[in-house]
Amino acid sequence: MARSVFSPSFWRSPLRGPWLTSVLGVVLLGGITVLFVTGLLSYASYNPDLARVNDKTPDKGLLGFYLFSWPTDPHWLYRLTQGVHVTLGITLIPVLLAKLWSVVPKLFTLPPARSLAHALERISLLLLVGGALFEFVTGILNVQLDYVFPGSFYPLHFYGAWVFFAAFVAHAVLKTPLALRNLRQLREERTELVSPDPAEPTVSRRGALWFVGSGSLLLFLTTVGQNFDGVLRRTALFAPHGGGDPGSGPGGFQINKTAAYAGIDPVETDEEAWRLVVVGREGRTVRLSRADLLQLPLHSSALPIACVEGWSTSDQWWRGVRLRDLAALVGYEGDPPDVFVESLQRHGAFRRAALRANQVADPRSLLALSVNGEDLTPDHGHPARIIVPAAPGVLNTKWVARLTFGDL
């Protein structure tokens, strides 16, 4: 007689039980907490309450309570937090799948609700499972540059994270004491996770944990290299900015968006045609060619590029005009204000971006004209691009056409 999925005897694996579920749950408790915190930091790094073009999550209301002016020190801050967020998220995939497998009988337990408390637990479990799958799937697709969402990734991932984490916290409050007790016990309790008719074991529970851990280690080793240059980057086989060769020479480091992809017309960036428009106090405006910019005091900064998809470069040697010096040209001789940056790129997200006053004031923040001793290449933002310490890569606008200084 065929067994129904709603029958406890349908689930016959002898590996399932409170001990295995508890071990996996404790790992996820720490890992997902780090993911949530680094995710909030990633969102805050965009300074989303500065300007609407930076905020891709409208109507966030109280969910924006943690926002603050994103710092510029240390200059590798975003490289670290987003690298941890993406690398850890991918590394936890086998643990999450094993955890879901270990508790799948509970999703088919009848009756659906034995009491109000049981009904609330089942609802939180469904939100937890659904939220986990949604967050991990959308995050992985974004890292792989497969934008197949029914809307923008940013609000979907942001609001999904809050729903998931609320269910996660509720579940952790209910289950963490039980999980710790299960880990301390020598003999396992009989629960609905333990099959009443187990099959013959083919691997021990510790062996299953070794299998899950090996899967996580493999994903870690084939992902973490995207945070570095050289040989290590070529080990990032599962990252779109991993195994590919970015070329050689001063411009031989990773990019996310080429000039061709952004629709940049070479005619517009020609030395004779391109002019930077700088607008400041009381509408004061100056127009500068590249030759004009090269006549201004030039400064150098060693800064990385770090992207929301988790990849980053080592420090590159940028040279150009300080943003605060450009602010001074249009009437802001003292403390510079915020700046609104516009690119020659006409379509796509972050063709415009806003930077806070503390970012403009940092002496390492440049309108870069060259990198590693040579002029910027078209793909790296020629004729001029923004480079700011600790900022997400998309805020380091390329192909800059206009800077408007003032309170935003």
Side-chain angles (χ1 to χ4, degrees), residues 287-370:
R287 294 170 60 87
L288 303 167
S289 66
R290 260 185 68 94
D292 295 330
L293 289 168
L294 289 169
Q295 293 302 311
L296 296 175
L298 300 180
H299 300 270
S300 298
S301 299
L303 299 173
I305 295 288
C307 188
V308 69
E309 284 112 19
W311 66 269
S312 59
T313 73
S314 59
D315 290 355
Q316 309 298 322
W317 195 253
W318 307 90
R319 190 162 177 80
V321 182
R322 287 175 173 169
L323 293 183
R324 67 186 191 184
D325 291 344
L326 291 171
L329 286 179
V330 288
Y332 293 100
E333 289 82 5
D335 293 335
D338 310 324
V339 65
F340 186 69
V341 185
E342 298 175 77
S343 172
L344 290 173
Q345 180 183 347
R346 292 183 176 83
H347 305 287
F350 295 105
R351 63 187 182 276
R352 298 176 295 169
L355 298 173
R356 283 197 184 277
N358 69 304
Q359 295 173 309
V360 176
D362 193 295
R364 296 165 295 180
S365 296
L366 303 177
L367 179 74
L369 305 172
S370 63

Side-chain angles (χ1 to χ4, degrees), residues 204-261:
S204 68
R205 286 176 179 165
R206 294 186 187 277
L209 287 178
W210 274 107
F211 179 75
V212 172
S214 297
S216 289
L217 179 61
L218 177 63
L219 288 177
F220 174 80
L221 294 176
T222 51
T223 301
V224 70
Q226 69 173 333
N227 297 285
F228 306 94
D229 291 328
V231 175
L232 282 177
R233 186 175 295 277
R234 290 195 286 273
T235 66
L237 302 178
F238 295 149
H241 293 280
D245 185 3
S248 59
F253 56 95
Q254 294 296 327
I255 60 169
N256 210 16
K257 194 162 38 180
T258 65
Y261 177 86

Side-chain angles (χ1 to χ4, degrees), residues 3 8 35 138 144 146 160 163 179 188 194 260 288 311 320 359 388:
R3 294 168 172 164
L35 284 181
T138 55
Q144 294 298 322
D146 290 327
V163 172
E188 190 165 59
V194 178
L288 303 167
W311 66 269
Q359 295 173 309
V388 173

Side-chain angles (χ1 to χ4, degrees), residues 54-396:
N54 285 24
D55 187 6
K56 303 302 179 183
T57 55
D59 305 320
K60 59 186 178 293
L62 293 176
L63 298 183
F65 71 92
Y66 61 90
L67 296 178
F68 52 90
S69 296
W70 186 251
T72 56
D73 280 309
H75 71 277
W76 40 259
L77 178 61
Y78 188 74
R79 184 183 185 191
L80 172 66
T81 59
Q82 194 61 14
V84 168
H85 183 75
V86 172
T87 303
L88 179 60
I90 293 175
T91 300
L92 286 177
I93 290 173
V95 183
L96 175 67
L97 294 178
K99 170 70 172 178
L100 296 178
W101 173 86
S102 74
V103 299
V104 71
K106 298 189 71 171
L107 299 178
F108 296 93
T109 300
L110 293 177
R114 294 190 292 268
S115 64
L116 178 59
H118 185 245
L120 292 175
E121 181 186 348
R122 293 295 296 276
I123 292 172
S124 71
L125 184 61
L126 289 174
L127 289 174
L128 181 68
V129 172
L133 291 175
F134 180 82
E135 285 299 288
F136 275 79
V137 169
T138 55
I140 292 166
L141 289 175
N142 182 64
V143 168
Q144 294 298 322
L145 308 181
D146 290 327
Y147 295 101
V148 295
F149 320 111
S152 172
F153 164 77
Y154 296 93
L156 289 175
H157 203 65
F158 176 79
Y159 292 119
W162 279 104
V163 172
F164 165 62
F165 197 71
F168 176 75
V169 170
H171 189 76
V173 169
L174 290 172
K175 297 298 184 182
T176 297
L178 177 61
L180 295 176
R181 188 166 66 248
N182 288 331
L183 292 177
R184 289 193 298 263
Q185 288 178 342
L186 295 178
R187 296 189 64 182
E188 190 165 59
E189 296 179 4
R190 299 290 297 181
T191 70
E192 56 193 347
L193 294 178
V194 178
S195 175
D197 183 24
E200 287 295 321
T202 57
V203 65
S204 68
R205 286 176 179 165
R206 294 186 187 277
L209 287 178
W210 274 107
F211 179 75
V212 172
S214 297
S216 289
L217 179 61
L218 177 63
L219 288 177
F220 174 80
L221 294 176
T222 51
T223 301
V224 70
Q226 69 173 333
N227 297 285
F228 306 94
D229 291 328
V231 175
L232 282 177
R233 186 175 295 277
R234 290 195 286 273
T235 66
L237 302 178
F238 295 149
H241 293 280
D245 185 3
S248 59
F253 56 95
Q254 294 296 327
I255 60 169
N256 210 16
K257 194 162 38 180
T258 65
Y261 177 86
I264 302 301
D265 188 342
V267 173
E268 294 179 287
T269 60
D270 182 81
E271 295 277 346
E272 297 300 321
W274 180 83
R275 293 295 183 272
L276 173 71
V277 179
V278 186
V279 182
R281 195 187 298 275
E282 298 178 351
R284 181 175 175 180
T285 302
V286 298
R287 294 170 60 87
L288 303 167
S289 66
R290 260 185 68 94
D292 295 330
L293 289 168
L294 289 169
Q295 293 302 311
L296 296 175
L298 300 180
H299 300 270
S300 298
S301 299
L303 299 173
I305 295 288
C307 188
V308 69
E309 284 112 19
W311 66 269
S312 59
T313 73
S314 59
D315 290 355
Q316 309 298 322
W317 195 253
W318 307 90
R319 190 162 177 80
V321 182
R322 287 175 173 169
L323 293 183
R324 67 186 191 184
D325 291 344
L326 291 171
L329 286 179
V330 288
Y332 293 100
E333 289 82 5
D335 293 335
D338 310 324
V339 65
F340 186 69
V341 185
E342 298 175 77
S343 172
L344 290 173
Q345 180 183 347
R346 292 183 176 83
H347 305 287
F350 295 105
R351 63 187 182 276
R352 298 176 295 169
L355 298 173
R356 283 197 184 277
N358 69 304
Q359 295 173 309
V360 176
D362 193 295
R364 296 165 295 180
S365 296
L366 303 177
L367 179 74
L369 305 172
S370 63
V371 62
N372 298 326
E374 290 192 6
D375 289 348
L376 296 170
T377 64
D379 289 343
H380 283 302
H382 179 83
R385 69 169 296 162
I386 297 293
I387 186 71
V388 173
V394 290
L395 297 187
N396 291 311

